[in-house]
Amino acid sequence: MSGFIDFHVHSGPSLMPRHHDDHEIRQVVEGAGVERFVLKAHEGSTAERAILVGGGAIGSIVLNSPVGGANPDAVAVASQLGARVIWMPTISAEAHLRGSGRPETSVLQHLTFNPVPVCRDGVLLEEWYDVLDLVARDDRVLASGHIAIDEAVEVFTEARRRGVQRFLVNHPLLGHLGWRREHFAVLAELGAYIEVGVLADQVEASVTGHTATSVIAAGYPEELLVFGSDLGHRSFPDADPGIADWVAATEPLLGARRLNRIMTVNGEELLS
């Protein structure tokens, strides 16, 4: 397969060990069949970096403590520089910090940031309202990052009320995020897309023996699934062969038509 969209790509410079830096990543992912890709950095914004990478690179910003967490100025600047995806906290997420030491967070254990709270007693903190208003104003994608799925539902519900139209749930089956089967119906009602991909499947298979994609695809509308490899860390495969192996393993499960829709059409709809 080729010409598809990857919503989750890591490169260097980074505080984490990466297979490639920004000078190399475009050629590498294009060689693996990727046409457009979202550069993600736990350390902050990739908006400027994506401009320099060029081609199909798409910038984003992760709202961890290094950028001030719920910082509307950081979001406004990144968005004006072309960032299309606004990620809720990852390394700074309270769910991530509670999951420290679990298999799915082990490769990130040497990178620690201050916590960035999102909810208290199940209610979104008001400090996030300005961030959501900017996401709505600029019509950006709001991604859940590493916050708990219950928190993501709360954030997306308020964001929808404030005019946000595009939602992405990242690797929801990772154990520390608190996924429950009833989340399928709630997230589908919100029109949230769910990411399936290489790293999430490898982690889930190592813990349960089955892939996250097999579980999600069996219970969620196919038109709301997109591809996000989450590759780049040296503890996991490089984009090639990682993506090629994932496609080979996933096509018999989903079928060529369904897989092609997830990796191309749905991604275009989320970004269009």
Side-chain angles (χ1 to χ4, degrees), residues 187-239:
L187 290 168
E189 179 67 22
L190 287 166
Y193 287 75
I194 291 182
E195 167 192 279
V196 295
V198 183
L199 186 146
D201 276 4
Q202 290 197 3
V203 172
E204 182 71 10
S206 71
V207 174
T208 67
H210 54 253
T211 66
T213 298
S214 65
V215 176
I216 294 168
Y220 207 67
E222 75 171 57
E223 64 270 19
L224 292 176
L225 300 179
V226 294
F227 176 72
S229 69
D230 199 2
L231 293 178
H233 196 287
R234 289 183 196 163
S235 294
F236 293 95
D238 202 349

Side-chain angles (χ1 to χ4, degrees), residues 3-214:
F4 56 86
I5 300 173
D6 189 338
F7 275 86
H8 205 150
V9 172
H10 291 282
S11 60
S14 173
L15 298 177
M16 303 299 294
R18 302 300 185 196
H19 282 291
H20 303 284
D21 62 25
D22 290 348
H23 295 295
E24 304 166 332
I25 195 62
R26 174 181 169 184
Q27 181 177 357
V28 169
V29 298
E30 287 178 350
V34 178
E35 183 173 296
R36 302 176 72 191
F37 57 99
V38 177
L39 279 178
K40 179 184 180 184
H42 295 295
E43 300 86 353
S45 173
T46 63
E48 301 92 334
R49 292 165 55 179
I51 293 171
L52 295 176
V53 170
I58 299 168
S60 67
I61 185 170
V62 182
L63 299 179
N64 285 324
S65 61
V67 300
N71 181 354
D73 285 345
V75 173
V77 169
S79 182
Q80 290 176 54
L81 287 170
R84 297 291 302 279
V85 180
I86 313 300
W87 309 79
M88 295 298 288
T90 58
I91 306 296
S92 288
E94 293 179 319
H96 180 95
L97 295 170
R98 288 193 298 268
S100 179
R102 293 177 59 99
E104 67 269 19
T105 62
S106 61
V107 298
L108 301 172
Q109 63 185 341
H110 300 300
L111 181 60
T112 58
F113 294 148
N114 289 326
V116 173
V118 172
C119 296
R120 280 291 175 264
D121 300 321
V123 178
L124 179 65
L125 296 172
E126 291 186 7
E127 63 201 63
W128 287 96
Y129 289 176
D130 288 346
V131 167
L132 300 184
D133 289 343
L134 285 169
V135 176
R137 184 196 72 183
D138 294 345
D139 195 21
R140 300 317 192 202
V141 177
L142 182 64
S144 62
H146 294 190
I147 65 176
I149 303 302
D150 282 338
E151 290 183 314
V153 169
E154 173 68 12
V155 171
F156 289 177
T157 299
E158 179 62 26
R160 174 71 75 185
R161 191 182 73 81
R162 304 180 85 87
V164 178
Q165 299 294 317
R166 306 172 193 271
F167 303 100
L168 176 61
V169 183
N170 308 112
H171 42 54
L173 267 60
L174 294 187
H176 64 294
L177 301 183
W179 175 266
R180 300 188 306 278
R181 191 160 189 85
E182 56 262 35
H183 286 130
F184 278 137
V186 177
L187 290 168
E189 179 67 22
L190 287 166
Y193 287 75
I194 291 182
E195 167 192 279
V196 295
V198 183
L199 186 146
D201 276 4
Q202 290 197 3
V203 172
E204 182 71 10
S206 71
V207 174
T208 67
H210 54 253
T211 66
T213 298
S214 65

